[in-house]
Amino acid sequence: GLRRWYRGACVPALGVLPHMGVRLSTNELLKNSWMSGGFTHASPSVRYATIGAAGALAGAMETLVIAPVDMVKVRLQRDRVFTPAFVQRLSETARAEFEALRAQTETVMSVLRSQSRSLGFGVTLLRQITYGATTFVSYEFLKSLLVRDGEHVKGFYKLVAGVTSGLVAAI
């Protein structure tokens, strides 16, 4: 039933929590502090620029905080899979092939690490900045389309705006 459908989803969901926590809390903190100075009645272009800047900085903060944690997590996962006990259970032929493949992989990975460490972080940072700005601006814009005569956006419409803004940012 439903339990089988979500089996194994708990660990990835827990992995997303720090990402969303840093991104959303940073965005709210910046947006609220910047817009408290009267920006709520400013022109839409000023409001959306402020929201976009807060979203971009939230994406940058997420990358700065989470990227090192993710790198450690991936290395721990990689090293845990090929334990000495695992290698010992392999046949002699499979063990020799495994060791040759591991040596080749380590050579390729060391070259990639030395050449792409800063590039990888920069690309991730750029992706998160543009994603954060696009997500939060499109979310606020869609919410403004769903409001009638100054009333607050209801829960379902916030869900629709959130899903749509996530899709827009992913494209």
Side-chain angles (χ1 to χ4, degrees):
L2 193 59
R3 270 184 144 181
R4 288 183 79 188
W5 182 265
Y6 287 104
R7 183 180 51 206
C10 195
V11 173
L14 289 173
V16 169
L17 288 176
H19 289 271
M20 293 296 106
V22 171
R23 182 187 305 155
L24 295 173
S25 62
T26 303
N27 181 66
E28 282 298 309
L29 177 73
L30 292 172
K31 184 178 76 168
N32 291 340
S33 65
W34 291 345
M35 295 185 91
S36 66
F39 279 135
T40 53
H41 301 295
S43 69
S45 60
V46 172
R47 283 190 60 238
Y48 291 127
T50 304
I51 293 166
L57 288 174
M61 181 60 76
E62 177 188 3
T63 301
L64 293 172
V65 171
I66 300 299
V69 174
D70 277 349
M71 184 176 65
V72 169
K73 179 186 73 170
V74 167
R75 286 183 181 169
L76 287 172
Q77 289 170 340
R78 179 196 66 195
D79 294 344
R80 187 172 175 196
V81 172
F82 301 116
T83 62
F86 169 79
V87 175
Q88 290 302 317
R89 286 193 300 256
L90 297 174
S91 68
E92 196 63 39
T93 306
R95 193 176 310 136
E97 290 175 3
F98 174 77
E99 292 300 333
L101 182 61
R102 183 191 297 206
Q104 292 170 358
T105 303
E106 283 302 317
T107 303
V108 169
M109 291 305 292
S110 67
V111 169
L112 288 175
R113 272 193 298 265
S114 67
Q115 293 178 357
S116 68
R117 183 167 289 156
S118 61
L119 175 66
F121 182 77
V123 169
T124 301
L125 183 63
L126 181 63
R127 180 192 70 217
Q128 290 304 101
I129 287 172
T130 56
Y131 182 80
T134 307
T135 300
F136 291 113
V137 168
S138 60
Y139 177 68
E140 293 294 331
F141 176 73
L142 290 169
K143 280 192 338 185
S144 74
L145 292 178
L146 298 171
V147 172
R148 290 200 170 92
D149 298 326
E151 68 182 42
H152 291 287
V153 178
K154 305 287 188 241
F156 176 73
Y157 294 114
K158 283 184 180 180
L159 175 67
V160 170
V163 168
T164 306
S165 66
L167 291 171
V168 167
I171 295 173

